[in-house]
Amino acid sequence: MKVKTLLLMVCLAAAANVVHAANLTLLNVSYDPTRELYADINRAFAAQWKAQHGDNVTVQMSHAGSGKQARAVVDGLPADVVTLALAYDIDAIADRGLLSKDWQQELPDHSSPYTSTIVFLVRKGNPRNIKDWPDLIKPGVQVITPNPKTSGGARWNFLAAWGYALQLPGGNEAKAREFVKALYRHVPVLDAGARAATNTFVQRGMGDVLIAWESEALLAQQEFGKGAFEMVVPSVSILAEPPVAVVDANAARHGNAAVAKAYLEFLYTPQAQAIGAKHFYRPRLAAAAQTSGVHFPAVKTFTIRQWFGDWRQAHAKFFADGAVFDQIGPGH
Amino acid sequence: MRKRILPGFGLSLGYTMICLGFIVLLPLAALAWKASGVGIMGLLQLLDAPRARAALMLSFGGAFAAALINTVAGFLVAWVLVRYRFPGRRVLDALVDLPFALPTAVAGIALTALYAPNGWLGQPLFDHGIRVAYTRLGVGVAMVFVGFPFVVRTVQPVLAALDREIEEAAESLGARRWQSFLRVILPLMLPAILTGFALALARAVGEYGSVIFIAGNLPMQSEIAPLLIVQKLEEFDYAGASALGAVMLVFAFAILLVLALLQRWSRRWAELPA
Amino acid sequence: MNATTIPLRQPRRSRRVLHLALILCAVGFMGLFLILPLATVFVEALRKGLPMYLDAIAQPGSLSAMRLTLWVAAVAVPLNIVFGIAAAWSMTHFRFPGKALLGALIDLPFSVSPVIAGLIYVLLFGAQGWFGPWLEAHGIRIIFTATALVLATMFITLPFIARELIPLMQAQGSDEEEAARVLGAGGWQMFFRVTLPKIRWALLYGVLLCNARAMGEFGAVSVVSGMIRGLTTTMPLEVEMRYNEYDHVGAFAVASLLAMLGLVTLGAKTFLEWRHRGELAAHAPGSH
């Protein structure tokens, strides 16, 4: 009797498996500011996949700081795809053999479907008259930016400031170092993440200027009412390219390789690009920006490849233990 | 041998050991093993870094200061709750345990909202030039919050059990009230006070959830040691993080040990006049 | 006024002033450090009105976080009850070498930073940990699942019940148990008929505190959770997430649920104390 019941249960389970085989679950491990973006993307992708293949795709999301997420994946968080703030974090996962080391060649545009840049958010009326990078180190100005050790966005902020000083006429390493060091002297709070920094600036009323992703600045303007805050675009900034990749080892094990790849490729379609633009990420397709109705101001940008080689080199030079940030960051 | 009359020695001790082994000892062994990866030199180097030293100083110094404040305030609250009757006493008594029950992240967000320059308390304080949130003071406030119940809850029962006749005898012998307090009550209370102090200290040293929101997290200034551990992890420096964690654990344990010894000594001392 | 609190001499005016000042000091301190933060939670949660508040709570994210939190507590707390009773029984009724060390080990989780409490399980069960690779080869995953949340929660709350029971059982001694044995009671019979009734209120008190802490733990679970929304986010993590989504009302709404849970716990505790003063008295955590 017992054996029979057991057999029956096994059969039922197997049958259930066949019936529900068309239910796919994908885990996308991402960083903090992309919650709203991927909520929309996942809905659109699920609809498209259902139409094309008849299967239901549920994309589960995990959001936290980019570095923390990379570590979680290395420690066994079963991500099928990672969509992080900077390439170094995916490099770190690749170093553990979970995906190919040349993952950046897998998808167009260095595997980065959207871009953003680094801008300033100031209080209503711009009382401190912040126009460009040098204004941040004027006496008495307080700057809010998160900790580059724990926040991916903060690393882009750091490199944007460094690159600005470097590209000035007569700019060099020593001058860039001086400028960034001076900048961090104006930082009263070093939050762990980009969102925490925005909360400190917006909700707690700390600081005169927030250095932030353009997408975050535009979102904050929208969330907290136009006019309460103003976005200031500096003369030159960095082209931030948040990358995406399939974690091959996990996706293969879950039997999700095909859908994971399709998911990331979907990001490059006009539909997904328009969703990205709606959430204030600069799409790679110029047309998508126009249809979204979001105005992305013209910014002169430089890429990480232009001044810093690649993310591995930038990380080793600036953010590793005992590297430049540890030498010139706050408290020095 | 009386003990053999009662059953369950093997079962209860066995279960206790298994539980402790799996939940506490084995994981901590993994920590020690990982920490040993940095070696003695690595450990010294780690502790020699000004930033690590500053963070450890803040975690331990802040916890020490907070425990001191909690000892004074906690004793006062326990005294008031035990000795006086007033409306709302029971409510006040219940609220003492609030920090046990309120999640640390919630406490952190609430304290930050309260003490930020635009908060209810932060605003008037800021107008007087006192900044609490995003400074070391903020770290202290959060640590006072999490450690508060320990002193009250250790002092309160002992105070309640204290025989009033001893005090009254002292007073009838001509001792002034403050004299009887200093010479009679305080010595008798010392073991309980030290226990409360030690527990409040141990709790505050490792506190993360509530401190992280209200501290400015600036290196060398308002960065606590657990945050440094988190940052080491972000750099995939598991050995360094483990080593720092192990150092904190050893420090905390050493402090608890010293206080336990002090307590034993004070208990003996307290018994003399009694 | 309660008879026991009236000193032999009638309070003089100066003394009454002193009493009042001390009471005001105590109330002021607690107001500043405990009551105001609590009030902040509710004020912020209700800032946009009751409908928004209810709406924020009814979201699927909050509901699944509530379910998970209750589930984790429902597993961790009973395991800790058995541990607490076993530890207290062996610590108070028997003498054996290493007893002091055992006592210290039971208290150890109190002095471990929550961050480390999370880290140690990553070191054990992470993909690069001691058991991670073996577990993975056998298709078992512990880290970043509810199991890891239970483990981390158990670690944090391990001392709560034992600490509550040890001083009480020490004070009660073993005479009644021994009498029951002499009269022929079996081991379990003795436990359920004699021991358990003696300790039940202290046990319940310990369970309440343990439960409140288990549901509210943040630092340790945030390290081992993996933050998969709907799967591994507990209520405290949901609070942080909402806060990071600029959903202020939502964050404080979920926080207020946790705070209410804490208040209910405290209310139940006060009720217990009121009903069973004798059995509970004088055995707060750490009084041994």
Side-chain angles (χ1 to χ4, degrees):
Chain A
M1 174 64 199
K2 249 187 180 169
V3 177
K4 254 188 190 167
T5 323
L6 203 69
L7 269 176
L8 191 68
M9 278 170 68
V10 169
C11 286
L12 274 177
N17 244 347
V18 173
V19 174
H20 292 289
N23 280 338
L24 300 169
T25 306
L26 210 58
L27 177 59
N28 177 0
V29 171
S30 192
Y31 59 115
D32 265 327
T34 59
R35 293 160 209 262
E36 297 83 2
L37 169 69
Y38 281 111
D40 280 0
I41 293 272
N42 293 346
R43 217 169 294 132
F45 176 71
Q48 195 212 46
W49 190 263
K50 175 103 182 154
Q52 286 176 357
H53 303 265
D55 301 344
N56 298 313
V57 185
T58 311
V59 186
Q60 292 172 335
M61 294 304 303
S62 164
H63 294 279
S66 188
K68 182 181 177 182
Q69 295 292 66
R71 188 163 49 77
V73 173
V74 166
D75 279 328
L77 186 62
D80 294 298
V81 300
V82 284
T83 52
L84 296 178
L86 41 89
Y88 176 76
D89 290 328
I90 300 186
D91 284 337
I93 301 171
D95 285 348
R96 270 70 179 182
L98 292 175
L99 67 157
S100 153
K101 287 210 178 194
D102 53 6
W103 59 270
Q104 264 190 308
Q105 317 306 323
E106 295 284 325
L107 290 161
D109 300 314
H110 314 283
S111 290
S112 138
Y114 311 101
T115 67
S116 191
T117 186
I118 300 302
V119 299
F120 309 145
L121 196 65
V122 298
R123 300 192 187 280
K124 188 176 185 171
N126 197 357
R128 291 284 189 170
N129 197 24
I130 307 286
K131 293 266 183 274
D132 199 4
W133 291 100
D135 298 325
L136 301 186
I137 57 169
K138 282 194 300 200
V141 172
Q142 285 198 323
V143 180
I144 304 293
T145 176
N147 189 345
K149 293 286 211 173
T150 49
S151 157
R155 292 184 190 176
W156 289 110
N157 295 354
F158 182 104
L159 293 182
W162 191 281
Y164 158 78
L166 215 51
Q167 58 82 48
L168 286 177
N172 58 35
E173 286 284 312
K175 281 183 181 163
R177 194 183 166 98
E178 264 326 294
F179 176 72
V180 175
K181 184 173 179 176
L183 177 64
Y184 277 96
R185 286 226 187 90
H186 290 256
V187 176
V189 182
L190 213 52
D191 283 296
R195 280 279 159 108
T198 313
N199 269 322
T200 299
F201 180 76
V202 170
Q203 302 281 357
R204 305 283 153 251
M206 289 290 291
D208 303 301
V209 50
L210 173 78
I211 311 181
W213 298 94
E214 179 189 49
S215 55
E216 286 290 279
L218 288 168
L219 178 67
Q221 272 189 324
Q222 177 192 299
E223 288 277 314
F224 303 107
K226 271 225 154 52
F229 300 97
E230 290 173 22
M231 192 172 103
V232 174
V233 180
S235 64
V236 59
S237 189
I238 196 163
L239 182 73
E241 297 171 292
V244 300
V246 176
V247 185
D248 296 325
N250 290 345
R253 202 177 53 219
H254 305 152
N256 279 343
V259 66
K261 189 156 184 290
Y263 178 68
L264 294 187
E265 281 167 351
F266 175 73
L267 298 175
Y268 292 86
T269 62
Q271 187 192 2
Q273 291 274 299
I275 295 175
K278 197 184 99 198
H279 289 283
F280 311 118
Y281 291 87
R282 291 181 179 232
R284 294 285 187 181
L285 295 177
Q290 279 162 7
T291 55
S292 72
V294 175
H295 171 64
F296 293 102
V299 190
K300 200 176 127 202
T301 58
F302 52 85
T303 64
I304 187 152
R305 290 171 291 279
Q306 238 168 304
W307 292 110
F308 307 103
D310 62 23
W311 259 110
R312 274 178 203 274
Q313 291 166 18
H315 180 87
K317 180 174 172 186
F318 296 109
F319 308 119
D321 195 28
V324 171
F325 179 75
D326 279 343
Q327 296 159 23
I328 67 169
H332 291 90
Chain B
M1 287 293 271
R2 277 157 57 104
K3 67 177 179 185
R4 285 296 159 226
I5 298 175
L6 291 179
F9 176 67
L11 182 66
S12 62
L13 189 65
Y15 184 79
T16 307
M17 299 292 268
I18 288 172
C19 240
L20 273 178
F22 274 105
I23 303 283
V24 177
L25 288 182
L26 187 68
L28 286 179
L31 182 80
W33 172 75
K34 199 78 191 178
S36 69
V38 300
I40 290 292
M41 289 316 286
L43 190 65
L44 289 178
Q45 220 171 358
L46 201 70
L47 294 180
D48 197 41
R51 198 162 149 214
R53 251 184 326 193
L56 285 170
M57 282 290 284
L58 179 61
S59 271
F60 281 90
F64 196 83
L68 272 183
I69 293 173
N70 272 333
T71 304
V72 176
F75 187 85
L76 175 74
V77 170
W79 179 271
V80 165
L81 288 177
V82 170
R83 288 296 171 94
Y84 306 146
R85 292 293 175 273
F86 54 94
R89 189 187 64 97
R90 209 176 277 288
V91 177
L92 206 65
D93 194 9
L95 283 173
V96 168
D97 283 330
L98 188 69
F100 277 150
L102 201 65
T104 51
V106 174
I109 293 175
L111 285 171
T112 312
L114 198 57
Y115 285 98
N118 63 0
W120 288 352
L121 285 177
Q123 186 107 51
L125 285 170
F126 188 75
D127 292 342
H128 290 84
I130 304 170
R131 286 182 50 212
V132 179
Y134 310 116
T135 65
R136 290 174 181 209
L137 209 54
V139 176
V141 167
M143 285 177 166
V144 167
F145 180 85
V146 296
F148 178 72
F150 288 97
V151 180
V152 182
R153 289 304 182 223
T154 46
V155 167
Q156 201 179 7
V158 185
L159 200 58
L162 198 68
D163 203 342
R164 288 293 290 268
E165 281 174 21
I166 298 176
E167 259 173 280
E168 279 152 12
E171 283 180 49
S172 70
L173 289 174
R176 297 193 59 93
R177 201 167 167 77
W178 60 268
Q179 275 178 325
S180 82
F181 177 79
L182 278 184
R183 299 270 177 84
V184 180
I185 300 176
L186 217 50
L188 285 171
M189 298 301 304
L190 205 57
I193 292 176
L194 281 174
T195 308
F197 177 82
L199 287 174
L201 179 71
R203 177 75 178 81
V205 163
E207 180 52 20
Y208 179 75
S210 59
V211 174
I212 210 69
F213 288 98
I214 197 170
N217 302 328
L218 290 180
M220 310 294 293
Q221 287 175 31
S222 50
E223 185 178 59
I224 53 167
L227 177 63
L228 214 56
I229 295 177
V230 170
Q231 287 183 29
K232 293 242 177 260
L233 286 179
E234 306 278 297
E235 287 160 14
F236 295 95
D237 183 6
Y238 288 81
S242 303
L244 212 53
V247 166
M248 281 190 73
L249 200 62
V250 170
F251 272 166
F253 220 59
I255 291 175
L256 288 181
L257 198 69
V258 169
L259 282 165
L261 290 176
L262 263 178
Q263 201 188 330
R264 182 178 288 183
W265 166 79
S266 71
R267 190 165 283 157
R268 216 171 288 153
W269 187 61
E271 274 161 11
L272 286 180
Chain C
M1 264 218 172
N2 193 318
T4 58
T5 61
I6 301 174
L8 290 180
R9 285 173 288 178
Q10 275 304 307
R12 283 175 310 223
R13 203 182 131 74
S14 66
R15 194 165 284 178
R16 275 213 303 275
V17 171
L18 178 73
H19 288 190
L20 200 65
L22 288 180
I23 290 172
L24 284 179
C25 272
V27 171
F29 181 86
M30 284 184 61
L32 211 60
F33 281 92
L34 303 183
I35 299 168
L36 266 181
L38 182 70
T40 310
V41 171
F42 288 98
V43 169
E44 296 278 338
L46 291 167
R47 183 177 266 182
K48 290 188 183 158
L50 196 62
M52 283 288 280
Y53 174 77
L54 294 176
D55 199 43
I57 289 174
Q59 280 182 21
S62 334
L63 293 178
S64 66
M66 269 180 244
R67 262 199 305 276
L68 181 65
T69 303
L70 292 175
W71 191 85
V72 166
V75 177
V77 173
L79 285 173
N80 271 351
I81 293 177
V82 180
F83 171 80
I85 293 174
W89 181 258
S90 57
M91 285 285 290
T92 53
H93 292 304
F94 305 98
R95 277 189 211 164
F96 52 92
K99 195 166 144 177
L101 187 69
L102 190 67
L105 281 178
I106 292 173
D107 285 347
L108 190 65
F110 259 143
S111 52
V112 175
S113 175
V115 174
I116 301 173
L119 170 64
I120 54 181
Y121 289 103
V122 174
L123 293 178
L124 273 192
F125 301 118
Q128 307 173 79
W130 278 2
F131 306 125
W134 185 86
L135 287 170
E136 198 178 295
H138 291 76
I140 307 167
R141 204 157 45 77
I142 289 183
I143 201 78
F144 307 125
T145 66
T147 316
L149 297 177
V150 169
L151 283 172
T153 305
M154 271 193 78
F155 181 93
I156 294 287
T157 56
L158 201 63
F160 274 81
I161 294 173
R163 257 186 177 285
E164 206 54 50
L165 292 182
I166 288 171
L168 180 70
M169 284 166 86
Q170 219 151 32
Q172 287 176 339
S174 5
D175 294 347
E176 290 168 45
E177 278 88 350
E178 280 164 14
R181 288 294 281 171
V182 170
L183 292 174
W188 292 113
Q189 216 177 353
M190 174 211 72
F191 175 74
F192 284 109
R193 296 273 177 83
V194 181
T195 309
L196 203 55
K198 280 204 300 185
I199 61 168
R200 61 188 164 173
W201 298 115
L203 182 64
L204 197 56
Y205 180 31
V207 169
L208 285 175
L209 280 185
C210 178
N211 185 52
R213 187 86 173 84
M215 289 189 175
E217 176 49 27
F218 171 75
V221 294
S222 107
V223 177
V224 298
S225 135
M227 306 282 191
I228 308 172
R229 190 157 224 177
L231 278 189
T232 61
T233 48
T234 60
M235 283 169 78
L237 298 177
E238 180 76 15
V239 172
E240 195 210 15
M241 265 189 173
R242 293 284 191 93
Y243 191 68
N244 278 342
E245 282 170 15
Y246 306 135
D247 180 5
H248 234 62
V249 168
F252 279 103
V254 178
S256 75
L257 285 183
L258 283 164
M260 271 191 268
L261 192 90
L263 288 177
V264 168
T265 305
L266 298 185
K269 198 209 96 193
T270 309
F271 178 73
L272 279 184
E273 275 173 348
W274 174 65
R275 281 283 301 273
H276 306 278
R277 296 184 71 92
E279 288 165 82
L280 274 173
H283 295 290
S287 58
H288 60 283

